[in-house]
Structure formats: structure tokens, C-alpha cells
Amino acid sequence: MDVDAFVLVHRDTWDRLEKLVKNRRRLTGAEVDELVELYQRVSTHLSMLRSASSDSALIGRLSTLVARARAVVTGAHAPMTGTIIRFWTVAFPVVAYRVWRWWLATALAFFALVAVIALWVATSPEIQSVIGTPSDIDELVNHDFASYYREHPAGSFALQVWANNSLVAAKCIAFAVLLGLPIPLVLFQNAANLGVISGLMFQAGKGAILLGLLTPHGLLELTAVFLAAAAGMRLGWTVISPGQRPRSQVLAEQGRAMVSIAVGLVAVLLVSGAIEALVTPSPLPTVVRVGVGITAEAAFLTYIVYFGSRAARAGRTGDVEDAPDTLPTG
């Protein structure tokens, strides 16, 4: 496509649509019909330019124009329920699905590190002596670890857990602006903590208690953290290697995807926190508590795979409809 010739041919159409949008409160019936027709036509122009041009300024201008025209055409009658349904069936799952390789790699690296640290702690009396005295370790593995889940009222404990887990996920998302470089450090700190306690518990013969208390909520909780970390690191990598499209365009798209991840994980971590406060310390048999955790994890992964793969096959990216293609500048 000759972009310059395309612009010359269609510039008057774009200018006319912009004029109608500006005068939206004073349009006649015929002008309203014209605005709808031009909106559809310019939307097609935008789609063609996105696939054929790397002119981010031109694409950004048309994206903004189409978004404004769409707001006029749809007005205030678009139901909020439609937006909510689209978020949970398209935007969040497809963004999570598209980062599955980063997500899986993050999980594998995390658990490998936990296993190495746990083995090191369990087989090294020198390391255990650095961690604490024998009486301190005995108190931890025989009392403190289990009592942690029972010493607070369920409601306040759920809120505390949700706030703590959300903070970890928020750090992963926020560190994306630093190319994602601090994210491995955040994961390392959490892996080290889990590895140390695992090593001490298994060395003391309390491995079953550890797994029985961590599995119900830990599967979903860690999955959410891995997703946040994966999305953050992918956004950081986008700055380094944007591919064939302009860096600003790709970065804007990935940045909006991070918003979807952040909002979606609020709900996921609420579920995880509720399980940790209500199921983990409950008198239910261990097999039932673990079953709740596995069921919640399986349900979440099935949800992501089903809706995410379906949206991906349909060519959806989870991005805001008619969103500008570049980051806003001052």
C-alpha cells in the first residue's frame, strides 16, 4: 500500500468525521446517519493502516478519532454488564493465556529454586545453626507454623493475606517500568522463604503438615504471583525487543494488558485469601482441604485456557477496543 496516496485519498473523509464528532450535540438526523457511516469506513481505514504502515503518529490520530466517533455512536446506552462480561471472558483470560510461556518458565524456575534451597537447609546442620537455635527451630516446626493460620479471626486474616499477596503481585507489575529487572529478586526472596521453611519442616518429619497447610491456598496464590511476574517481565522485554512494530505501539498495547492482569488478579487473590483464612485452618480432613486447593487451581487454569484460547483463535488481544496505538505524551 502507498500510504501517502492512501492519506491523500481519504483525508477529507477523516476531516469530515472529526467535524461531525466535534459538533455531535447539534447534528441533524442525516448527519447522524453520515457519522455512523463514516465511523464504519474510517474504522476500516484504521485496520488497513495498522497492517500496512508503521507511522505511529498517523495510526494514533486515527485510533483516537475512531474511539471518539465510537463513543458518539454508542452513546451512554452501552450496558456496563457488557463491559464486565467482556473483561472476564476476553480481556483478562486472553492476556494471561498469551503469556503462558513466561508464566510456565517462571513457575518452573521458582519451584526448582525452592527445591534446591530446601534440600540445602534439610541436609546442612551448619545452615540450620545460622537460621536459629535448636529450640527456635523446634518451636517453629512444632508450633509456630501451624498456629500462624489459627491465631487470627478468619475475616481479618483473609484481609491481611489478600493485602500481602496483592502487594507481592503489585510489585511484580510495578517493576515492569524498570524493564522487569527487579522481578526475579522479588521471586527469589519468596522462593528462599519457602525453601527454608520447607527444608526445616521436612528435616523434622513435618513435611505432610507443611503440604497440608500450604497446598489449599498456595497453589492459587503462587499461580497469581507467577502470572503477575510473567506479565511484568514480558512488558520489560517489550521495551528491549518490540519486534516489527514501533516500540511505542507495542508498549502501549502491553501496558494496557498489564492493567487487565492487575484487575483480574485482585479477584483471584481474594479467592486465595478466603481459602487461606477459611479452609486452611479448618478442622476438615487434610485430603478435603487439599482437594479444595487443587479444585480452585484447576478451575482457574481451565478458565484461562478455555476463554483465553478461544479469544486468541478469534484474533483478540485483550486490548481496549479502538484504543490509541501509542503511549500518551506530554
Side-chain angles (χ1 to χ4, degrees):
M1 175 194 294
D2 186 332
V3 176
D4 292 335
F6 188 86
V7 172
L8 287 175
V9 170
H10 298 292
R11 178 178 292 161
D12 290 343
T13 300
W14 304 341
D15 291 342
R16 176 59 179 167
L17 178 59
E18 186 169 16
K19 182 178 179 180
L20 291 173
V21 169
K22 288 181 178 178
N23 297 324
R24 59 188 178 277
R25 299 186 184 279
R26 299 185 297 275
L27 298 180
T28 64
E31 287 174 332
V32 170
D33 292 339
E34 182 185 7
L35 187 149
V36 173
E37 180 185 353
L38 292 181
Y39 160 66
Q40 296 172 336
R41 191 183 306 172
V42 176
S43 295
T44 302
H45 296 168
L46 175 60
S47 178
M48 295 170 65
L49 284 172
R50 278 175 167 167
S51 61
S53 173
S54 60
D55 188 338
S56 59
L58 175 60
I59 294 175
R61 178 204 166 191
L62 277 191
S63 295
T64 302
L65 177 58
V66 168
R68 292 171 58 202
R70 179 175 179 274
V72 175
V73 171
T74 58
H77 302 290
M80 180 60 68
T81 54
T83 301
I84 295 173
I85 291 173
R86 179 184 179 276
F87 176 82
W88 289 111
T89 60
V90 177
F92 175 56
V94 77
V95 171
Y97 182 79
R98 290 174 66 200
V99 299
W100 74 266
R101 290 181 178 84
W102 291 80
W103 194 0
L104 179 61
T106 300
L108 292 176
F110 181 91
F111 284 119
L113 183 58
V114 169
V116 169
I117 295 175
L119 182 62
W120 184 33
V121 170
T123 58
S124 175
E126 293 81 5
I127 295 300
Q128 294 174 27
S129 66
V130 173
I131 294 173
T133 65
S135 60
D136 290 336
I137 294 176
D138 181 73
E139 181 72 10
L140 172 65
V141 300
N142 289 299
H143 177 264
D144 291 351
F145 183 76
S147 65
Y148 167 75
Y149 295 99
R150 300 183 174 93
E151 61 187 11
H152 302 291
S156 61
F157 187 50
L159 183 60
Q160 175 186 342
V161 168
W162 173 77
N164 178 71
N165 294 336
S166 297
L167 179 60
V168 174
K171 286 181 179 179
C172 293
I173 292 173
F175 284 147
V177 301
L178 299 177
L179 304 185
L181 296 178
I183 294 177
L185 177 60
V186 174
L187 294 175
F188 174 81
Q189 292 172 339
N190 284 270
N193 291 335
L194 181 56
V196 168
I197 190 64
S198 297
L200 294 175
M201 293 290 285
F202 273 96
Q203 191 275 335
K206 303 289 185 178
I209 295 177
L210 172 80
L211 296 178
L213 290 173
L214 286 184
T215 303
H217 65 275
L219 289 176
L220 189 60
E221 174 185 304
L222 287 175
T223 297
V225 171
F226 297 154
L227 175 54
M233 288 187 288
R234 188 187 184 194
L235 177 59
W237 181 251
T238 296
V239 178
I240 300 172
S241 179
Q244 300 299 317
R245 293 188 294 165
R247 179 175 281 103
S248 60
Q249 181 178 339
V250 179
L251 191 57
E253 179 182 305
Q254 292 298 319
R256 291 189 293 267
M258 288 296 296
V259 175
S260 295
I261 292 294
V263 173
L265 289 185
V266 169
V268 175
L269 289 172
L270 274 174
V271 174
S272 171
I275 293 174
E276 184 167 0
L278 301 175
V279 177
T280 298
S282 72
L284 293 171
T286 299
V287 66
V288 175
R289 290 186 282 109
V290 171
V292 170
I294 294 176
T295 300
E297 174 75 358
F300 178 61
L301 293 179
T302 300
Y303 156 72
I304 293 296
V305 172
Y306 175 75
F307 287 104
S309 61
R310 187 175 68 170
R313 287 193 300 269
R316 310 297 290 272
T317 65
D319 198 4
V320 178
E321 292 183 359
D322 300 325
D325 286 275
T326 57
L327 291 174
T329 57

